Each structure stands twice: as C-alpha cells, then as structure tokens.
Amino acid sequence: MMIGYVTVGASDMDKAKAFYCDLFADRGAKVIIDGGRIAMIGATPKEPMISVCVPYDKKDPQPGNGNMVAFAAKNKEEVDALYAKAISLGATCEGAPGQRIPDRFYGAYVRDLDGNKMTFYVFG
C-alpha cells in the first residue's frame, strides 16, 4: 500500500500553504487542489502530497502525540537544507540534523507553524 497524502491541521490556511509550498519549492511543490478549508500540496497528484486543513469541527488543530510526517531526502545535504529552510520559514527545532543510528539513519526534526512534527531523513 502506498501513501497518497498525509493531512495536518492548520489554523491559518494561507500561512500553511505558503510554508509547505516554499519548503518544497525545489521539488516543484504547489497547491494541487484548494478546497478552501483543505489544500493538497505536491508536485503532481500522482505523487504523495501533504494536505493542510482547518479541522472539520472548526476547533483548534491539535498535533497528535507521537504522530509525525517523514519526508525522504536524497542525501544528508538535502536533510540539512530542508531543516534550515523550514527553520527560516518559521518552524521550530525538535532535533538538529545528525546521525541518529550509526550508518543507518540521518535525520532532522521540526514542528511547523501549527506544531505538527515532521522529519527530513535519509537512510545510511
């Protein structure tokens, strides 16, 4: 089974769309579908996307405890670049880039503007 998209809550759709489009601009990210309360962002609808939305119940979005979206990078340099870009766009650090498991996993962790946790990683 393949992931089509992952949805995270947003309190300000314009800011959330700008954050993810800017963060992944080098990968061709843009808003693919904009339904007002929900938007899907990616390079094409045939590739995995990130979706941002105002919760259906109209309450504040709440990041889950233990939930995280993982974005694969091409190499360690891209992990570092995505981390730095996310921070420059207003994300907060949850773990600077580094080797987490020797010779197996290199990653960096941030929280987006609404506190949703994500990692940029590469195996090796």
Side-chain angles (χ1 to χ4, degrees):
M1 180 174 286
M2 300 299 292
I3 294 174
Y5 65 93
V6 173
T7 302
V8 295
S11 58
D12 183 315
M13 287 298 290
D14 290 333
K15 286 182 180 178
K17 289 186 285 189
F19 177 85
Y20 284 101
C21 286
D22 291 348
L23 180 60
F24 295 114
D26 291 346
R27 294 184 179 188
K30 60 190 172 289
V31 175
I32 303 287
I33 298 170
D34 193 336
R37 158 187 108 66
I38 188 167
M40 296 183 166
I41 300 160
T44 74
K46 294 182 180 188
E47 298 175 61
M49 296 178 285
I50 183 82
S51 172
V52 294
C53 77
V54 173
Y56 184 77
D57 64 7
K58 298 188 173 117
K59 294 182 182 177
D60 289 337
Q62 299 293 318
N65 185 23
N67 296 343
M68 182 175 63
V69 179
F71 295 99
K74 296 174 189 152
N75 51 46
K76 292 176 182 179
E77 293 77 20
E78 187 177 30
V79 169
D80 297 349
L82 286 167
Y83 169 84
K85 191 166 190 180
I87 296 297
S88 77
L89 293 169
T92 55
C93 176
E94 284 286 313
Q99 196 72 42
R100 303 292 190 241
I101 302 171
D103 299 321
R104 288 194 157 157
F105 185 88
Y106 183 90
Y109 300 86
V110 299
R111 288 194 184 265
D112 72 7
L113 306 177
D114 287 293
N116 298 297
K117 190 172 182 181
M118 67 183 91
T119 184
F120 311 112
Y121 75 94
V122 64
F123 288 118

